Amino acid sequence: MNRLFRGIKAAVLWNYERGSWQYDVLCCLILAFIFLIPSSWFDERPVTRRQAAARLGNIGNPEFISMAELGQFPPTTTLQVALEQAGAARLKRPVRVQHFEHVNDVSGRQIAGYHVWFE
């Protein structure tokens, strides 16, 4: 039992000499872990707009609200309220923002507007 714990301690602390069979086994185990584990276990990509909308229960297409449309509202207005007011003006009915995402301009440095899902 003591020998087993010594072996585990040596493996965790990487006490084996390079070129020994223990070192080679540990390297093979690491490589097997890297290449044989499914990539879905490490999938941390951001959720797409369509997946986010589906998760929220609205599969419809988002409305694009440009920064120019938002510029007509007072600067003290919160973004969500400004998006709701712009959506209500465009759709000619009261709306509530369900989800929104910013859209960058071509350079990717500035926000051109927002994709907004309304209820």
Side-chain angles (χ1 to χ4, degrees):
M1 192 68 150
N2 193 15
R3 187 174 177 191
L4 175 67
F5 287 123
R6 260 189 293 143
I8 292 173
K9 179 181 172 186
V12 170
L13 297 177
W14 203 267
N15 286 343
Y16 299 112
E17 295 283 327
R18 181 180 273 184
S20 67
W21 69 270
Q22 295 96 336
Y23 185 92
D24 293 341
V25 168
L26 288 175
C27 289
C28 288
L29 288 174
I30 291 170
L31 289 173
F33 178 80
I34 291 170
F35 292 111
L36 299 178
I37 297 297
S39 62
S40 62
W41 288 17
F42 305 104
D43 189 13
E44 295 181 5
R45 290 178 288 171
V47 176
T48 65
R49 276 182 291 220
R50 189 162 298 283
Q51 289 171 332
R55 189 179 301 156
L56 292 169
N58 179 7
I59 305 175
N61 293 326
E63 294 285 330
F64 177 76
I65 307 292
S66 68
M67 292 304 287
E69 289 179 79
L70 292 177
Q72 63 186 342
F73 300 106
T76 57
T77 306
T78 65
L79 178 59
Q80 183 167 350
V81 170
L83 290 171
E84 286 174 352
Q85 291 173 351
R90 179 182 290 178
L91 301 174
K92 302 195 182 349
R93 64 178 172 84
V95 295
R96 195 169 138 246
V97 171
Q98 190 172 24
H99 177 73
F100 65 90
E101 295 178 358
H102 71 275
V103 177
N104 291 336
D105 64 358
V106 178
S107 69
R109 293 186 205 128
Q110 293 183 350
I111 295 176
Y114 294 89
H115 278 136
V116 186
W117 287 262
F118 294 109
E119 286 182 358

Coordinates of all heavy atoms in Angstrom, one line a residue, residues 51-94:
Q51 N -29.2 30.7 -31.2 CA -29.3 29.8 -30.0 C -29.8 30.6 -28.8 O -30.6 30.1 -28.0 CB -27.9 29.2 -29.7 CG -27.5 28.1 -30.7 CD -26.1 27.7 -30.5 OE1 -25.2 28.4 -30.0 NE2 -25.7 26.5 -30.9
A52 N -29.3 31.8 -28.7 CA -29.7 32.6 -27.5 C -31.2 32.9 -27.6 O -31.9 32.9 -26.6 CB -28.9 33.9 -27.5
A53 N -31.6 33.3 -28.8 CA -33.1 33.6 -29.0 C -33.9 32.3 -28.8 O -35.0 32.4 -28.2 CB -33.3 34.1 -30.4
A54 N -33.5 31.2 -29.3 CA -34.2 30.0 -29.1 C -34.3 29.6 -27.6 O -35.3 29.2 -27.1 CB -33.6 28.8 -29.9
R55 N -33.2 29.9 -26.9 CA -33.2 29.6 -25.5 C -34.2 30.5 -24.7 O -34.8 30.1 -23.8 CB -31.8 29.8 -24.9 CG -31.6 29.3 -23.5 CD -30.2 29.5 -23.0 NE -29.3 28.8 -23.8 CZ -28.0 29.2 -23.9 NH1 -27.5 30.2 -23.2 NH2 -27.1 28.5 -24.6
L56 N -34.3 31.7 -25.2 CA -35.3 32.6 -24.6 C -36.7 32.4 -25.1 O -37.6 33.1 -24.6 CB -34.8 34.1 -24.9 CG -33.5 34.5 -24.3 CD1 -33.1 35.8 -24.9 CD2 -33.7 34.6 -22.8
G57 N -36.9 31.5 -26.1 CA -38.2 31.2 -26.5 C -38.7 32.1 -27.7 O -39.8 32.0 -28.1
N58 N -37.8 32.9 -28.3 CA -38.2 33.7 -29.4 C -37.3 33.3 -30.6 O -36.1 33.6 -30.6 CB -38.0 35.2 -29.1 CG -38.3 36.0 -30.3 OD1 -38.8 35.6 -31.3 ND2 -38.1 37.3 -30.2
I59 N -37.8 32.5 -31.6 CA -37.0 32.0 -32.6 C -37.0 33.0 -33.8 O -36.3 32.9 -34.8 CB -37.4 30.6 -33.1 CG1 -37.4 29.7 -31.9 CG2 -36.5 30.1 -34.2 CD1 -37.9 28.4 -32.1
G60 N -37.8 34.1 -33.7 CA -37.9 35.0 -34.8 C -36.6 35.8 -35.1 O -35.6 35.7 -34.3
N61 N -36.6 36.6 -36.1 CA -35.4 37.3 -36.5 C -35.3 38.6 -35.6 O -36.3 39.2 -35.3 CB -35.4 37.7 -38.0 CG -35.3 36.5 -38.8 OD1 -34.6 35.6 -38.5 ND2 -36.0 36.5 -40.0
P62 N -34.1 39.0 -35.3 CA -33.9 40.2 -34.5 C -34.1 41.4 -35.4 O -34.0 41.4 -36.6 CB -32.5 40.1 -34.0 CG -31.8 39.3 -35.1 CD -32.8 38.3 -35.6
E63 N -34.5 42.5 -34.8 CA -34.5 43.8 -35.4 C -33.1 44.5 -35.2 O -32.5 44.3 -34.2 CB -35.6 44.7 -34.8 CG -37.0 44.3 -35.0 CD -37.5 44.6 -36.4 OE1 -37.0 45.5 -37.0 OE2 -38.3 43.8 -36.8
F64 N -32.7 45.2 -36.3 CA -31.4 45.9 -36.1 C -31.7 47.3 -35.8 O -32.4 48.0 -36.6 CB -30.6 45.8 -37.4 CG -29.3 46.6 -37.3 CD1 -28.2 46.1 -36.6 CD2 -29.2 47.8 -37.9 CE1 -27.0 46.8 -36.5 CE2 -28.0 48.6 -37.8 CZ -26.9 48.1 -37.1
I65 N -31.2 47.8 -34.7 CA -31.4 49.2 -34.2 C -30.0 49.8 -34.3 O -29.1 49.4 -33.6 CB -32.0 49.3 -32.8 CG1 -33.2 48.4 -32.6 CG2 -32.2 50.7 -32.4 CD1 -34.4 48.9 -33.3
S66 N -29.9 50.8 -35.2 CA -28.6 51.5 -35.4 C -28.4 52.5 -34.3 O -29.3 53.0 -33.6 CB -28.6 52.2 -36.8 OG -29.5 53.3 -36.8
M67 N -27.1 52.9 -34.2 CA -26.7 53.9 -33.2 C -27.4 55.3 -33.5 O -27.7 56.0 -32.6 CB -25.2 54.1 -33.2 CG -24.5 52.9 -32.6 SD -25.1 52.4 -30.9 CE -24.3 53.7 -30.0
A68 N -27.6 55.5 -34.8 CA -28.3 56.8 -35.2 C -29.7 56.8 -34.6 O -30.2 57.9 -34.2 CB -28.3 56.9 -36.7
E69 N -30.4 55.7 -34.7 CA -31.8 55.6 -34.1 C -31.7 55.8 -32.6 O -32.6 56.4 -32.0 CB -32.4 54.3 -34.4 CG -32.8 54.1 -35.9 CD -33.4 52.7 -36.1 OE1 -34.6 52.5 -35.8 OE2 -32.7 51.8 -36.6
L70 N -30.7 55.3 -32.0 CA -30.6 55.5 -30.5 C -30.2 56.9 -30.1 O -30.4 57.3 -29.0 CB -29.6 54.5 -29.9 CG -30.0 53.0 -30.0 CD1 -28.9 52.1 -29.5 CD2 -31.3 52.8 -29.3
G71 N -29.6 57.6 -31.0 CA -29.1 59.0 -30.7 C -30.2 60.0 -30.5 O -29.9 61.0 -29.9
Q72 N -31.4 59.7 -30.9 CA -32.5 60.6 -30.7 C -33.0 60.6 -29.3 O -33.9 61.4 -28.9 CB -33.6 60.3 -31.7 CG -34.2 59.0 -31.5 CD -35.2 58.6 -32.6 OE1 -35.7 59.5 -33.3 NE2 -35.5 57.4 -32.8
F73 N -32.6 59.7 -28.4 CA -33.1 59.6 -27.1 C -32.1 60.3 -26.1 O -30.9 60.4 -26.4 CB -33.3 58.1 -26.6 CG -34.3 57.4 -27.5 CD1 -33.9 56.5 -28.4 CD2 -35.6 57.7 -27.4 CE1 -34.8 55.9 -29.3 CE2 -36.5 57.1 -28.2 CZ -36.1 56.2 -29.2
P74 N -32.6 60.8 -25.0 CA -31.7 61.5 -24.1 C -30.6 60.6 -23.6 O -30.8 59.4 -23.4 CB -32.6 61.9 -22.9 CG -34.0 61.8 -23.4 CD -34.0 60.8 -24.6
P75 N -29.4 61.2 -23.3 CA -28.3 60.3 -22.9 C -28.5 59.7 -21.5 O -27.8 58.8 -21.2 CB -27.1 61.3 -22.9 CG -27.7 62.7 -23.0 CD -29.0 62.6 -23.5
T76 N -29.4 60.2 -20.7 CA -29.7 59.6 -19.4 C -30.5 58.4 -19.5 O -30.6 57.6 -18.6 CB -30.4 60.7 -18.5 OG1 -31.6 61.1 -19.1 CG2 -29.5 61.8 -18.2
T77 N -31.1 58.1 -20.7 CA -31.9 56.9 -20.9 C -31.0 55.7 -20.9 O -30.0 55.7 -21.5 CB -32.7 57.0 -22.2 OG1 -33.4 58.2 -22.3 CG2 -33.6 55.8 -22.4
T78 N -31.5 54.6 -20.2 CA -30.7 53.4 -20.2 C -30.8 52.8 -21.6 O -31.7 53.0 -22.4 CB -31.2 52.4 -19.2 OG1 -32.5 52.0 -19.5 CG2 -31.2 53.0 -17.8
L79 N -29.8 51.9 -21.9 CA -29.8 51.3 -23.2 C -31.1 50.5 -23.5 O -31.7 50.5 -24.5 CB -28.6 50.4 -23.4 CG -28.4 49.7 -24.7 CD1 -28.4 50.6 -25.9 CD2 -27.2 48.8 -24.6
Q80 N -31.5 49.7 -22.5 CA -32.7 48.9 -22.7 C -33.9 49.7 -22.9 O -34.7 49.4 -23.8 CB -32.9 48.0 -21.4 CG -34.1 47.0 -21.7 CD -34.1 45.9 -20.6 OE1 -33.2 45.7 -19.9 NE2 -35.2 45.2 -20.6
V81 N -34.1 50.8 -22.2 CA -35.2 51.7 -22.4 C -35.1 52.3 -23.8 O -36.1 52.4 -24.5 CB -35.3 52.8 -21.3 CG1 -36.3 53.8 -21.7 CG2 -35.6 52.1 -20.0
A82 N -33.9 52.8 -24.2 CA -33.8 53.4 -25.6 C -34.1 52.3 -26.6 O -34.7 52.7 -27.6 CB -32.4 53.9 -25.7
L83 N -33.7 51.1 -26.5 CA -34.0 50.1 -27.5 C -35.5 49.8 -27.5 O -36.0 49.6 -28.6 CB -33.2 48.8 -27.1 CG -31.7 48.8 -27.3 CD1 -31.0 47.6 -26.8 CD2 -31.3 49.0 -28.8
E84 N -36.1 49.8 -26.3 CA -37.6 49.6 -26.3 C -38.3 50.7 -27.0 O -39.3 50.5 -27.8 CB -38.1 49.4 -24.9 CG -37.7 48.1 -24.3 CD -38.1 47.9 -22.8 OE1 -38.5 48.9 -22.2 OE2 -37.9 46.8 -22.3
Q85 N -37.9 52.0 -26.8 CA -38.5 53.1 -27.4 C -38.3 53.1 -28.9 O -39.2 53.3 -29.7 CB -38.0 54.4 -26.8 CG -38.4 54.6 -25.4 CD -37.8 55.8 -24.7 OE1 -36.9 56.4 -25.3 NE2 -38.2 56.1 -23.5
A86 N -37.1 52.7 -29.4 CA -36.8 52.6 -30.8 C -37.6 51.5 -31.4 O -38.1 51.7 -32.6 CB -35.3 52.4 -31.0
G87 N -37.7 50.4 -30.7 CA -38.5 49.3 -31.3 C -40.0 49.6 -31.3 O -40.7 49.2 -32.3
A88 N -40.5 50.3 -30.3 CA -41.9 50.7 -30.3 C -42.2 51.7 -31.5 O -43.2 51.6 -32.1 CB -42.3 51.3 -29.0
A89 N -41.2 52.6 -31.7 CA -41.4 53.5 -32.8 C -41.4 52.8 -34.2 O -42.2 53.1 -35.1 CB -40.3 54.6 -32.8
R90 N -40.5 51.8 -34.3 CA -40.4 51.1 -35.6 C -41.6 50.2 -35.8 O -42.1 50.1 -36.9 CB -39.1 50.3 -35.6 CG -39.0 49.5 -36.9 CD -37.8 48.7 -37.0 NE -36.6 49.6 -37.2 CZ -35.4 49.2 -37.2 NH1 -35.1 47.9 -37.1 NH2 -34.4 50.0 -37.3
L91 N -41.9 49.4 -34.8 CA -43.0 48.4 -34.9 C -44.4 48.9 -34.7 O -45.4 48.2 -34.8 CB -42.7 47.2 -34.0 CG -41.4 46.5 -34.2 CD1 -41.1 45.5 -33.1 CD2 -41.3 45.9 -35.6
K92 N -44.5 50.2 -34.2 CA -45.8 50.8 -33.9 C -46.6 50.1 -33.0 O -47.8 49.9 -33.2 CB -46.5 51.1 -35.2 CG -45.7 52.0 -36.2 CD -46.4 52.5 -37.3 CE -45.6 53.4 -38.3 NZ -44.3 53.7 -38.0
R93 N -46.0 49.5 -31.9 CA -46.7 48.9 -30.8 C -45.8 48.8 -29.6 O -44.6 48.9 -29.8 CB -47.1 47.4 -31.3 CG -46.0 46.5 -31.5 CD -46.4 45.1 -31.9 NE -45.3 44.2 -32.3 CZ -44.5 43.6 -31.5 NH1 -44.7 43.6 -30.2 NH2 -43.6 42.8 -32.0
P94 N -46.3 48.7 -28.4 CA -45.5 48.6 -27.3 C -44.6 47.3 -27.3 O -45.2 46.2 -27.7 CB -46.4 48.5 -26.1 CG -47.8 48.9 -26.6 CD -47.8 48.7 -28.1

